[in-house]
Amino acid sequence: MRPFLGVLLGMLALPAMAASPQLDKLTLPKGFHIAVYSDAVPNAREIALGAKGTVFVGSNDAGKVYALTDSNGSGKADKVRVIATGLQLPVGVAFRNGDLYVSAVSKIVVLRDIENHLDDPPKPEVVYDKFPTETHHGWKFIAFGPDGKLYVPIGAPCNICDKGKDYAKLTRMNADGSGLEDVAYGIRNTVGFTWRPGNNELWFTDNGRDMMGDDIPNDELNRLTRVGEHFGYPYCHQGDTLDPEFGKGKNCKDYTAPVLKLGPHVAALGLRFYEGSQFPANYKGALFIAQHGSWNRTRKSGYRVMSVRFNGDKVASYDTFIDGFQQDEKSWGRPVDVQPLPDGSLLISDDLAGAVYRVTYSP
């Protein structure tokens, strides 16, 4: 195995050494507060909410999936259960009709009626097992769309390569695993997508390629307007930059440009629209984005949570919401996903500190 590839695969597949949450180092807008919801979720990744208030968290910690419960309404999980073990990088979780769907690289499995069996979880049942087996961009954020279908990405199995329409795309299937179809192409590695309330448009982050320098390309915020749309990878990056190898003879105008450039190498991951009423009114309809942070940049970028506000379909602002997960080029935390709760607070997962945080607002 080539040295760089070995290092990269290790970075992708191996659990990070957990750091302790250092919330005193974080900065938030005036009136916002952040607290630990649970610090017992090693390598916490995607968050999904159950119908009875359970917070499900995928991870890349020994193949475990977690269930967090706040039984007394304190705003902090008082019980953390492991509800599945031995799965391959089960970072993605999605809840539907009482069942929890979990991604496991080449498979999607389901835990049936899980909220009624948190103390005696059922054996994972395979829903689909024909996704590629590569682990390079092989772990999967998953989510059910307004159409009732499960959306599953297939990342590029490389930093930069052209595998046609077999990789670098977003797919969807029925809840029983049937009817798999392609939705969009030219997506290097999306680890976050969601649907905008009101019009059900799909929005997603995409991580740009490496080894083109510190400042190119940007990660992307994209919006899907039609099935079959192509977002450029590996030919065009950030909507306006041809790839030095695969861009020859191509034109960026032939691909869908991002709605917003999110910054170079920030590793933009989970994102959700905010529809709650606890935060100030100007956050209604805003999009929160977790930025996991760079790993190969001269100076670190990302390591924060951003907010995007809109004027219709146009971006009105792109601001830092939470900062301070790294100082002086040393990081203690790496945000992965964001998930609003029914009470209007916001959960944030952190795979480096092995924690989930809860953000509240009180003037």
Side-chain angles (χ1 to χ4, degrees), residues 136-276:
H136 193 143
H137 299 154
W139 53 19
K140 296 170 171 60
F141 179 104
I142 59 175
F144 279 97
D147 54 9
K149 294 180 181 290
L150 182 66
Y151 285 66
V152 184
I154 300 177
C158 55
N159 172 38
I160 185 75
C161 57
D162 188 354
K163 298 292 185 180
K165 291 186 174 180
D166 291 335
Y167 295 85
K169 64 182 179 180
L170 182 63
T171 70
R172 66 184 175 191
M173 66 175 72
N174 297 320
D176 63 2
S178 65
L180 182 72
E181 61 180 338
D182 293 346
V183 176
Y185 304 104
I187 303 168
R188 179 177 178 269
N189 184 35
T190 178
V191 193
F193 41 89
T194 191
W195 288 262
R196 191 175 185 185
N199 61 16
N200 289 338
E201 283 185 335
L202 189 151
W203 292 64
F204 64 94
T205 55
D206 193 14
N207 287 192
R209 64 156 292 180
D210 299 310
M211 308 309 169
M212 280 182 66
D214 273 0
D215 299 320
I216 297 176
N218 277 252
D219 284 1
E220 301 174 3
L221 174 63
N222 293 295
R223 179 179 70 227
L224 181 73
T225 59
R226 60 178 175 81
V227 171
E229 212 163 352
H230 197 297
F231 291 86
Y233 177 88
Y235 317 116
C236 176
H237 310 293
Q238 66 177 36
D240 57 15
T241 302
L242 289 173
D243 187 82
E245 180 180 356
F246 294 97
K248 294 175 183 177
K250 304 293 184 180
N251 189 330
C252 282
K253 293 181 180 179
D254 294 333
Y255 309 104
T256 301
V259 174
L260 181 64
K261 297 176 184 178
L262 299 176
H265 308 295
V266 296
L269 303 185
L271 73 169
R272 299 291 196 292
F273 286 97
Y274 183 79
E275 288 296 297

Side-chain angles (χ1 to χ4, degrees), residues 34 45 115 146 163 174 194 196 219 224 254 296 305 308 322 330 338-339 344 347-348:
I34 188 167
R45 299 289 296 191
E115 284 189 292
K163 298 292 185 180
N174 297 320
T194 191
R196 191 175 185 185
D219 284 1
L224 181 73
D254 294 333
N296 66 339
V305 177
V308 182
I322 304 176
K330 295 180 180 179
V338 291
Q339 179 64 68
L347 296 181
I348 300 167

Side-chain angles (χ1 to χ4, degrees), residues 265-269 290-295 301-304 334-335:
H265 308 295
V266 296
L269 303 185
Q291 293 187 349
H292 197 228
S294 61
W295 64 272
S301 59
Y303 297 90
R304 59 191 178 180
R334 303 189 78 179

